[in-house]
Each structure stands twice: as C-alpha cells, then as structure tokens.
C-alpha cells in the first residue's frame, strides 16, 4: 500500500535482468485459448455488415479501427472483411460509384485507456471517424465521431437463470439486471425467462450514453407501464444482478445506490481480458480505503492534475475548474500529461504531494498499489478540499470528470468571509495567490490567526498545507503588485528567481512551491550544479574529455579507438 512507503520506489532495473526478463505481459496464453472460428461466426461477432452500413452513412473515407489488446489478433481479418463489404456497398444497381476508395487504419497500443476512443492515434492517421471494438465506457468524444461495436458474445441463458435463482430464491425480490456492454443484448430475453419462472419485480436495462445516470450508461426498462422516476427514487430498495465482471469503478459507484450487488461471472474468452471476479462484499472496505486516501490528500500543499485523457468531451473545462478549486483552497497545482499511468512516471515528480486524475469514469480510479503519493478522482478532491467541519462521507462515490463544479462565487465560507472578495486576484495555475493580508498591529495577519491544521492520520501539525496563502507574506510589501504578484522592472522571464534564505522562490513574480522545492530539497538540480560544492567553488574548470562513441555492440573510447 502507498501508506507503507517511506521513500520513492526503486525505478532502475538490475543490469543482469536487462535483456532476460521482458516486462511486457505475454499474450501466449490468450492465443492458446483462441478458438478457430469460421468467417460466418466472425461476421456476426464483429458485426461487419452493420459497421459497413454506418461508415457509408457517415460518408467516412479514412476510418480508424480501434481494437483492445485481446482482439488485436483478429484485426487483419476484420480489415479484409470490412474492406470487401465496403466495396460491395459501393455497387448500386450494378454500377460502381465513382468515389474515392476508403482506407482503414488499425489503432493499437492506445494512448490511454482501451475503454476510451483514442482520438490522438486517429488524428495521426487523419481519420474522419473511429470504429471502437469491444467494451467501452461510452464517454462522449470531443472531436471525432465514433461507431461502437461491442461485439456479439454468446451466453448460456440456463446457467444465468440457475445462478439467479440461487442468489434470489424469493420470487418477489426487487432486482435490476444489467450486463457488460458486450453481453447487454442478452438482458431482455433473460428478464423474460425469469418472469416466466415467476419473478414479479424484475427490471431490465438498456444502453444509453449517459455516464451521470443513476446507473451509468443504462436506462431502466420497466414492464406494465411503471413510472421510471418512482423506480429511480426507490432504487436503494433494489438489488443488482450483473452479468460479466464489472469494473471496480462501477462497483464503487453503485454501492451506495442499490441494496446489494451480485455478479454472474461469464467464462473467459479470447475477446475479454482475464481478471479476477471482484467480491461485492469487499466494496465497503474499498470505500474506506478511498476515504483514507482523501484524508491523506487533505493536507497536501502541491497537487498534480494528472491528465489521463485527451478525448473525453469537456476535459479542458474540467482542468480549468480543478485549477480554480485548488487555487481557492490556497494550494498550488501543476498540470502534467504522462500517457499511461505507472509508478515510475509519477515518482519523477517528488514535489507533488498528491494527484487528481482527469479521465473517464472508469479510468479515473487508479489502484494505489506501488504508488508513492495518493491518486484521487475529482469527486474525492472536492471532499479533500473541504474543511474538517463540512467534510462528510456519505458513501457516495464517482470516478469521472462529469459533475465537477467550479468553486462558489459570492457565498460566505465557514469563517464568514465573502468568497467573491476572498477569491479576487486568484488565477488558475500560475496566479493561484490571494491578495496580501493588511498589516495588523503586533504583526499577525488574519491568515496567521487561523486555527492550526493537523494530519488526521498521524496527528502531526501541518504548517504548509496552503502555501499560496502564506508564501506571499515572505515578500516585502513594497515589492507587491496589485494582485499579490511581485513588482519587477525587468522583462518577463521563465527563470527561477532565487531569493535570500527564508524567502519564497518566485517565477514571473508569482510564488512557486515547485521552484522552492527545487531550490531547497532536490539534491541534484542539473549538470554542473554540484561542481565545486565541497571546495567552495574555487576549483578551476578543466577540458571536457571525449567519451564513448559508436554502436552498442562495440563502443570506442577516446582518440585511441579502443573497442569495449
């Protein structure tokens, strides 16, 4: 767990394992399980006819085909079959249309999560649209149109009914039935089968693109003209029966909305990623750990906004809103894009005390195992930034960027101050400072008179959780500008201004905790920064020596051309 780490993880690979161990997961086991399917079966699985019809309807000429890792072995066949179907559709009444030949591009190794449409890879191919295969989070895209092909998977109805009867022996139990998008087409016939067995309170679902729905991306299909609003308001009286393994984010989201969760695990197939079936009874424990992560982030002074998508609609607006929230809390934010998240990448930013992920509602939940600093969702960040008096954990949870709200303007905070007055002069990332507090007799400002903050996990006093409120006091009042910035007679520069000991480091006249960390805590600050440190810098410089050159199988050293 992250709480057990007292230092950053070791990121280097032992030299003796450099060319022996391959860190990439092997797909050999998946290949051995892949059955031999006929062309007719593959046509049905990948819905070739429907896909070609929708491409033709959109008028796309350059199409990106995005496959998850488990389906990549079928990509060449899909390209060939889809190309033939598109050519077939190009013939009308026996006369070939005079149109440009459509080109298909396979998109593999997605930039972020496989459940999201990879618009970045599609734009590299200058695609007009994307066909997304496999399971999806159905988050709205920001630029390109998309056709979702969930693939048609087989399901044993009798096995599902038997498992359902074992979980719910009472025929009057209120149950909502849903499935992963790859099996969702089977929900309606299964509900009819169960009603035929005597169950009277079965509610089916169907797919809609609405991540903020009571059940994300699902609409309740009610028999006997029942009112959907009434069912939604009393949904906590219903149990959920989920076909196929759901993502952990869905379990956490629905844990506070329904009475209980039951899972029917479908047999692993070459079209689905192998993963262990989660235990719904462990969901309260997962929520408690998430709340512990929120408490850990509450005392963070520098928060990194970790961009985990460049495709979900309104992600730029969400980043701006998160910056405003963090600045309103007197903390510093830095926006960072690292591609697919792992511990090694995040450990490079030692000055960051915690992260908030901007991603889809599924990928926003990042497992904490191996991570040095906490990683939370925007919803959890909103809780962390609240005061101890107003922070209430209701069990509700959400992992996406939908519903992120800007900080209130014109309302009074817990100390009775007007938020609109208190927020003047606050920008987004670089301008997240407050106007300087006026001089008070005795030299104590309003900020200094605030009650002390304590870490609720350790009980220790935290004196630097709001650096943007206190850092500006280190600057003499005569040097302050109108918005808490520092007056400067020189032209704007991105160089770090190093001030005297005890003063804050500034970048472009704005207090920068990141620059202060670089100045005071980083032991290595670049080439040449440690030269002559032990001898007071009196050593004379020397001529740069020629090092190794050549290729890896045989380097040469210096002018003597000695091979090593």
């Amino acid at each position: 767990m992250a709480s057990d780490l007292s230092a950053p993880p070791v990121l280097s690979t032992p030299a003796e394992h450099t060319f022996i161990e391959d860190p990439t997961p092997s797909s050999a086991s998946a290949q051995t399980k892949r059955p031999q399917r006929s062309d007719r079966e593959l046509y049905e699985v990948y819905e070739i006819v429907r896909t070609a019809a929708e491409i033709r309807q959109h008028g796309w000429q350059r199409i990106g085909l995005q496959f998850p890792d488990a389906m990549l072995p079928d990509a060449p066949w899909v390209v060939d079959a889809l190309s033939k179907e598109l050519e077939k559709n190009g013939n009308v009444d026996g006369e070939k249309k005079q149109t440009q030949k459509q080109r298909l591009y396979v998109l593999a190794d997605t930039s972020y999560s496989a459940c999201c449409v990879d618009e970045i890879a599609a734009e590299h191919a200058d695609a007009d649209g994307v066909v997304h295969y496999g399971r999806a989070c159905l988050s709205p895209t920001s630029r390109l149109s998309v056709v979702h092909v969930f693939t048609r998977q087989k399901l044993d109805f009798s096995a599902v009914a038997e498992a359902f009867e074992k979980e719910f022996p009472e025929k009057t139990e209120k149950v909502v039935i849903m499935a992963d998008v790859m099996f969702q087409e089977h929900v309606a016939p299964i509900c009819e089968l169960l009603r035929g067995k005597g169950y009277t309170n079965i509610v089916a679902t169907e797919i809609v693109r609405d991540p903020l729905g009571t059940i994300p991306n699902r609409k309740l299909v009610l028999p006997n003209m029942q009112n959907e609003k009434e069912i939604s308001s009393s949904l906590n009286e219903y149990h959920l029966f989920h076909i196929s393994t759901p993502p952990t984010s869905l379990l956490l989201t629905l844990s506070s909305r329904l009475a209980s969760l039951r899972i029917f695990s479908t047999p692993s197939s070459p079209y689905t990623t192998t993963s262990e079936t989660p235990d719904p009874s462990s969901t309260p424990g997962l929520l408690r750990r998430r709340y512990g992560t929120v408490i850990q982030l509450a005392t963070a002074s520098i928060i990194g906004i970790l961009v985990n998508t460049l495709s979900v609609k309104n992600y730029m607006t969400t980043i701006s809103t998160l910056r405003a929230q963090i600045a309103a809390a007197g903390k510093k934010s830095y926006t960072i894009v690292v591609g697919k998240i792992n511990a090694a990448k995040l450990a490079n930013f030692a000055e960051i005390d915690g992260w908030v992920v901007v991603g889809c509602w599924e990928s926003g939940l990042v497992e904490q195992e191996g991570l040095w600093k906490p990683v939370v969702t925007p919803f959890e960040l909103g809780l962390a930034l609240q005061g101890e008096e107003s922070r209430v954990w209701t069990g509700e949870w959400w992992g996406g960027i939908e519903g992120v709200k800007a900080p209130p303007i014109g309302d009074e905070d817990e100390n009775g101050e007007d938020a609109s007055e208190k927020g003047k002069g606050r920008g987004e990332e670089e301008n997240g400072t407050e106007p300087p507090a006026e001089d008070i007799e005795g030299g104590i400002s309003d900020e200094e008179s605030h009650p002390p903050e304590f870490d609720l996990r350790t009980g220790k006093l935290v004196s630097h959780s709001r650096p943007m409120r206190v850092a500006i006091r280190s600057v003499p009042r005569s040097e302050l500008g109108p918005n808490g910035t520092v007056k400067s007679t020189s032209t704007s520069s991105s160089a770090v201004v190093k001030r005297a000991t005890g003063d804050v480091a500034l970048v472009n006249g704005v207090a920068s905790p990141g620059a202060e960390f670089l100045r005071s805590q980083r032991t290595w600050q670049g080439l040449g920064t440690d030269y002559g440190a032990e001898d007071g810098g009196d050593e004379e410089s020397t001529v740069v020596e020629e090092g190794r050159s050549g290729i890896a199988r045989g380097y040469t050293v210096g002018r003597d051309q000695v091979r090593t």
Side-chain angles (χ1 to χ4, degrees):
M1 296 300 294
S3 58
D4 299 331
L5 295 176
S6 57
V10 178
L11 307 181
S12 60
T13 303
E16 60 269 19
H17 301 307
T18 302
F19 300 105
I20 298 177
E21 297 180 358
D22 184 4
T24 306
S26 174
S27 59
S29 59
Q31 293 301 318
T32 57
K33 297 180 181 179
R34 181 169 295 276
Q36 295 294 329
R37 294 180 180 267
S38 64
D39 288 355
R40 183 175 180 179
E41 288 178 310
L42 290 175
Y43 255 86
E44 294 179 358
V45 169
Y46 287 100
E47 303 181 64
I48 299 298
V49 176
R50 178 181 75 85
T51 305
E54 294 209 29
I55 290 175
R56 185 183 178 193
Q57 181 180 357
H58 284 88
W60 296 342
Q61 296 300 319
R62 302 170 69 90
I63 304 101
L65 307 180
Q66 181 179 338
F67 295 86
D69 292 343
M71 296 183 182
L72 272 179
D74 289 338
W77 184 92
V78 173
V79 171
D80 182 63
L82 191 56
S83 298
K84 292 178 181 178
E85 190 68 28
L86 289 172
E87 290 177 2
K88 187 188 304 182
N89 288 340
N91 296 328
V92 180
D93 297 331
E95 297 182 2
K96 190 172 183 178
K97 281 188 173 183
Q98 298 297 322
T99 57
Q100 184 181 0
K101 184 177 180 181
Q102 291 158 315
R103 303 194 63 177
L104 305 176
Y105 300 87
V106 175
L107 310 181
D109 189 22
T110 55
S111 303
Y112 294 98
S113 302
C115 63
C116 298
V117 178
D118 193 354
E119 289 188 332
I120 303 302
E123 288 179 342
H124 288 169
D126 196 20
D128 301 319
V130 177
V131 179
H132 184 281
Y133 290 96
R135 67 175 319 279
C137 60
L138 297 179
S139 297
T141 54
S142 57
R143 294 178 293 276
L144 294 179
S145 300
V146 59
V147 171
H148 284 284
V149 179
F150 303 129
T151 67
R152 309 187 71 175
Q153 305 295 327
K154 295 181 179 180
L155 187 64
D156 187 349
F157 287 7
S158 60
V160 175
E162 181 181 351
F164 186 91
E165 289 176 324
K166 187 179 298 184
E167 293 286 349
F168 303 103
E170 295 292 332
K171 303 293 185 180
T172 57
E173 288 279 12
K174 298 180 178 180
V175 185
V176 175
I177 298 180
M178 68 174 293
D180 188 87
V181 291
M182 300 174 69
F183 296 91
Q184 183 65 35
E185 63 175 342
H186 302 301
V187 169
I190 287 176
C191 288
E192 291 300 324
L193 176 62
L194 293 174
R195 291 189 186 107
K197 290 179 176 290
Y199 287 92
T200 57
N201 291 317
I202 300 297
V203 178
T205 56
E206 65 180 20
I207 295 177
V208 294
R209 298 189 70 172
D210 183 17
L212 282 179
T214 306
I215 299 178
N217 293 324
R218 296 296 188 275
K219 175 185 177 182
L220 299 178
V221 181
L222 307 172
N224 304 325
M225 303 299 291
Q226 289 179 279
N227 191 341
E228 182 179 355
K229 291 184 178 180
E230 293 181 1
I231 298 293
S232 299
S233 61
S234 61
L235 197 61
N236 56 359
E237 301 176 1
Y238 282 75
H239 305 276
L240 178 71
F241 185 78
H242 193 281
I243 300 173
S244 188
T245 303
T248 307
S249 56
L250 180 62
L251 287 178
L252 295 178
T253 301
L254 297 180
S255 62
S256 63
R257 303 181 184 181
L258 292 105
S260 68
L261 307 175
R262 315 291 172 87
I263 299 173
F264 174 77
S265 181
T266 54
S268 60
S269 75
Y271 302 102
T272 58
T273 55
T274 57
S275 59
E276 296 182 359
T277 303
D279 183 7
S281 62
S282 65
T283 305
L286 292 176
L287 286 173
R288 286 193 295 268
R289 285 197 288 272
R290 297 305 304 177
Y291 184 62
T293 305
V294 169
I295 296 301
Q296 186 178 357
L297 193 74
T299 55
S301 59
I302 305 177
I303 298 175
I305 301 175
L306 192 58
V307 181
N308 198 34
T309 181
L310 296 177
S311 304
V312 177
K313 189 177 182 180
N314 296 328
Y315 79 95
M316 288 296 294
T317 304
T318 301
I319 293 174
S320 300
T321 303
L322 291 175
R323 288 174 175 174
Q325 287 181 350
I326 296 170
K331 301 175 184 289
K332 182 67 174 179
S333 66
Y334 293 96
T335 305
I336 296 172
V337 181
V338 296
K340 290 184 178 179
I341 299 173
N342 59 45
K345 292 178 181 178
L346 300 189
N348 288 320
F349 304 95
E351 59 270 32
I352 303 296
D353 296 322
W355 302 89
V356 56
V357 177
V358 176
C360 72
W361 66 275
E362 289 189 16
S363 63
L365 177 63
V366 177
E367 297 295 337
Q368 298 294 128
E369 185 177 358
L371 298 180
W372 190 31
K373 300 295 177 64
V375 181
V376 302
T377 68
F379 172 80
E380 293 172 333
L381 176 68
L383 286 175
L385 296 181
Q386 295 179 12
E388 296 179 10
E389 297 82 5
S390 58
R391 186 188 303 125
V392 178
W393 182 260
T394 61
E396 182 184 3
W397 189 89
W398 179 241
I401 63 176
E402 298 84 2
V404 177
K405 299 179 181 179
I409 298 177
D411 299 328
E412 290 190 352
D413 64 2
E414 66 228 23
N415 296 323
E417 296 181 79
D418 192 317
S420 62
E421 294 295 328
K422 187 177 178 181
K424 287 182 179 179
R426 290 182 185 144
E428 292 183 349
E429 176 183 342
E430 290 80 12
N431 298 321
T433 59
E434 290 186 338
E438 296 184 2
D439 292 330
I440 297 178
E441 185 178 357
I444 300 177
S445 67
D446 290 339
E447 290 293 342
E448 290 173 329
S449 63
H450 281 178
E453 283 192 70
F454 294 91
D455 189 332
L456 297 181
R457 301 173 303 113
T458 63
K460 295 181 179 180
L461 176 66
V462 179
S463 59
H464 57 279
S465 64
R466 303 180 187 273
M468 304 311 292
R469 290 186 179 179
V470 300
I472 202 65
R473 292 203 301 269
S474 299
V475 181
R477 180 169 298 279
S478 59
E479 299 182 19
L480 289 175
N483 289 328
T485 59
V486 177
K487 297 177 182 178
S488 176
T489 57
S490 59
T491 58
S492 177
S493 171
S494 61
V496 175
V497 179
K498 186 173 182 179
R499 306 181 67 88
T501 303
D503 289 343
V504 66
L506 307 174
V507 176
N508 280 342
V510 178
S512 174
E516 181 64 28
F517 183 93
L518 173 66
R519 184 187 73 174
S520 60
Q521 298 189 43
R522 280 197 180 272
T523 56
W524 189 81
Q525 302 178 2
L527 291 174
T529 56
D530 56 347
Y531 177 76
E534 297 179 357
D535 301 323
D538 296 332
E539 291 187 5
E540 296 181 358
S541 60
T542 57
V543 178
V544 176
E545 297 180 358
E546 185 176 351
R548 292 184 177 184
S549 62
I551 58 178
R553 66 179 182 182
Y555 290 113
T556 57
V557 182
R559 297 180 179 179
D560 296 335
Q561 301 295 314
V562 179
R563 186 177 291 269
T564 61

